[in-house]
Amino acid sequence: MRTQVAIIGAGPAGLMLGRLLQQAGIDNVILERKSADYVLSRIRAGVLEQGTADLLHKVGVGERVQAEGLPHDGIEMCFDGDLQRIDFTARVGRHVTVYGQTEVTRDLMDARQASGVETVYEADDVALHDIDSDHPHVTWRKDGVTQTLDCDFIAGCDGFHGVSRASVPERALALFDRHYPFGWLGILVEKPPVSEELIYAHHERGFALCSMRSLTRSRYYVQVPEGEKVENWSDDRFWDELRARINPEAAERLQTGPSIEKSIAPLRSFVAEPLRFGSLFLAGDAAHIVPPTGAKGLNLAISDVAMLGAALAEFYGERSKAGLDTYSKRALARIWKAERFSWWMTSLLHTFPETGAFGRRIQRADFDYLCGSVAAQTSLAENYTGLSLD
Ligand code: FAS
Ligand code: PHB
């Protein structure tokens, strides 16, 4: 088999890149380790930056997000029960859209299937070969048969635990990591959300987030210690802890019910540099991880491939390598700003026992400054709704 671009991974990054390349008339094949149903079963992000929603429209898969997505003009920040709304529209003239990553993935999968562009699901033992040459190829095993795909370029969109970054020689990569001693216990429930907008809450007992997937399905999170086990958390224990951490008015309104999904996600900040090695380009979680506090993970994956897709279109359209040669530098400039914002939101909103009473006073001062400063609110709004691609 031969194609122009081999894409590893059918998550949001791989599927969006495939769509962009297809629209540019560039042949591509996606190789995905899991089944499509398994990919869709993963409950992850919930908030789209305006740029992400705009790109879905631009590539012709914006119909459902237009019909079912919930435009949000702001968020509520809560600190020990005190509330401060951040008005995105008033501060930066932009909004975000609440629309689950599962739905983004489904829309892109459906569009790809309808256009007949190939995705190989349940591809075992995917391996990258000759990535430091102009003639790379990929092998995998399916139904006991080993297959080979010759290509010009490989896009590693296979997430943090994928094979792509692991295929780059260690000497060629610089890794940057920040470990957080806690995770997020998340719950999905078929009940109306507690508030019209998201509530990000700091409390001495820990962080909590009130989010949603629709007007009838809600998503809630509480900070839990590293190593916590989801089986230690009955639904009732979760609801009691959430009520204790959010503002009293919201706690009073909270509608609880049986969880339809409950899981713990670890938090980390991570960046690999550079994002190119020969004919291999990294994008999305294969290249970086952010703590979900800033709602950046999915959106960064999309902005990476928006840049990579444009660079590949320039190469095949104009035979110019300029975009490919600058992809890593340009993408990393935006990635690090998102890493900074996600780290700042995490530092403000979570409890860090090791920083003691002084640390909590600094967090309170950070919140009080946010409440009193239009500049601070504008900065938060600018980052949360998404920085420009330039
Ligand atoms: P993905 O990990 O989504 O996709 C990679 C794909 O590659 C997967 O389908 C995988 O099966 C496949 N793959 C892996 N190894 C392979 C191999 N060897 N061969 C072939 N295929 C392979 N972000 C937010 O903004 N908000 C959130 O609330 C949030 N919650 C999260 C919760 C969890 C548990 C996790 C893990 C992440 C969360 N994220 C969140 C971040 C998440 O949304 C990612 O940023 C987003 O999925 C990144 O998309 P991709 O880069 O496409 O990677
Ligand atoms: C979610 O709805 O899953 C969600 C929303 C905002 C975040 C993180 C997760 O910052």
Side-chain angles (χ1 to χ4, degrees):
M1 282 169 74
R2 188 183 207 294
T3 191
Q4 289 172 302
V5 181
I7 300 172
I8 317 298
L15 287 164
M16 177 56 86
L17 180 59
R19 186 71 180 172
L20 289 163
L21 296 181
Q22 180 201 339
Q23 293 215 318
I26 300 167
D27 290 339
N28 66 91
V29 173
I30 294 179
L31 298 169
E32 165 58 51
R33 177 170 60 179
K34 300 291 187 183
S35 69
D37 287 344
Y38 183 93
V39 174
L40 288 170
S41 70
R42 293 188 297 235
I43 305 297
R44 289 190 173 171
V47 172
L48 305 187
E49 293 175 358
Q50 188 159 327
T52 299
D54 293 349
L55 190 61
L56 286 169
H57 287 285
K58 186 180 170 196
V59 299
V61 297
E63 194 177 327
R64 273 209 321 143
V65 68
Q66 179 73 33
E68 299 171 27
L70 302 172
H72 277 209
D73 294 329
I75 56 172
E76 294 282 2
M77 300 286 280
C78 177
F79 199 103
D80 287 346
D82 297 333
L83 272 183
Q84 173 62 49
R85 182 168 186 266
I86 307 296
D87 187 336
F88 298 151
T89 313
R91 297 287 166 260
V92 295
R94 293 199 300 264
H95 64 276
V96 294
T97 302
V98 168
Y99 189 70
Q101 173 171 327
T102 303
E103 305 318 315
V104 172
T105 306
R106 190 193 313 279
D107 294 341
L108 288 165
M109 275 183 182
D110 290 350
R112 186 171 179 88
Q113 186 173 15
S115 58
V117 185
E118 183 161 12
T119 304
V120 179
Y121 287 102
E122 298 178 291
D124 293 327
D125 303 331
V126 170
L128 282 55
H129 307 273
D130 302 326
I131 57 178
D132 199 12
S133 80
D134 291 339
H135 304 288
H137 67 278
V138 182
T139 57
W140 70 96
R141 207 167 39 77
K142 178 148 185 168
D143 305 328
V145 178
T146 297
Q147 310 260 7
T148 299
L149 179 66
D150 295 318
C151 52
D152 300 332
F153 299 105
I154 301 172
C157 300
D158 46 348
F160 184 70
H161 300 289
V163 66
S164 297
R165 191 181 71 247
S167 300
V168 178
E170 272 187 35
R171 61 171 165 47
L173 278 180
L175 305 182
F176 303 84
D177 215 341
R178 167 62 55 96
H179 168 263
Y180 300 96
F182 43 75
W184 279 18
L185 167 60
I187 203 167
L188 203 56
V189 63
E190 282 299 346
K191 286 289 181 185
V194 69
S195 164
E196 283 182 5
E197 295 177 333
L198 274 59
I199 303 173
Y200 286 83
H202 172 105
H203 188 277
E204 62 184 1
R205 297 176 66 92
F207 166 80
L209 171 59
C210 301
S211 183
M212 63 195 79
R213 289 293 176 271
S214 69
L215 297 179
T216 58
R217 177 173 287 197
S218 300
R219 178 76 165 155
Y220 297 103
Y221 298 93
V222 295
Q223 173 186 350
V224 291
E226 187 172 30
E228 180 62 293
K229 300 276 183 262
V230 67
E231 47 270 19
N232 296 340
W233 285 80
S234 67
D235 288 0
D236 287 346
R237 183 184 176 195
F238 180 92
W239 297 125
D240 291 345
E241 194 57 45
L242 180 68
R243 282 195 194 90
R245 298 185 184 188
I246 58 181
N247 54 304
E249 304 78 11
E252 183 64 32
R253 289 196 308 267
L254 183 66
Q255 293 188 51
T256 65
S259 58
I260 53 178
E261 194 270 351
K262 187 160 52 180
S263 56
I264 294 178
L267 268 64
R268 73 184 319 146
S269 298
F270 171 84
V271 180
E273 292 185 3
L275 303 187
R276 176 183 190 177
F277 184 79
S279 300
L280 170 65
F281 293 86
L282 301 177
D285 278 16
H288 46 71
I289 296 287
V290 284
T293 329
K296 290 292 150 229
L298 167 60
N299 293 293
L300 261 188
I302 297 297
S303 53
D304 288 352
V305 295
M307 290 186 198
L308 182 54
L312 286 163
E314 181 192 62
F315 172 77
Y316 284 106
E318 302 159 33
R319 306 312 294 179
S320 159
K321 293 186 174 181
L324 292 175
D325 290 343
T326 57
Y327 162 72
S328 180
K329 185 168 186 282
R330 288 185 303 116
L332 282 168
R334 192 170 187 280
I335 288 161
W336 275 110
K337 295 187 184 86
E339 290 281 349
R340 181 209 66 83
F341 176 67
S342 304
W343 164 82
W344 175 74
M345 285 281 277
T346 303
S347 304
L348 169 61
L349 291 164
H350 291 73
T351 49
F352 294 80
E354 66 278 14
T355 61
F358 178 82
R360 267 179 61 74
R361 285 289 188 278
I362 292 293
Q363 289 175 309
R364 178 76 217 194
D366 213 348
F367 177 76
D368 290 343
Y369 173 60
L370 185 63
C371 293
S373 164
V374 169
Q377 292 172 30
T378 303
S379 173
L380 195 162
E382 191 176 39
N383 281 278
Y384 194 95
T385 58
L387 300 179
S388 76
L389 288 191
D390 305 327

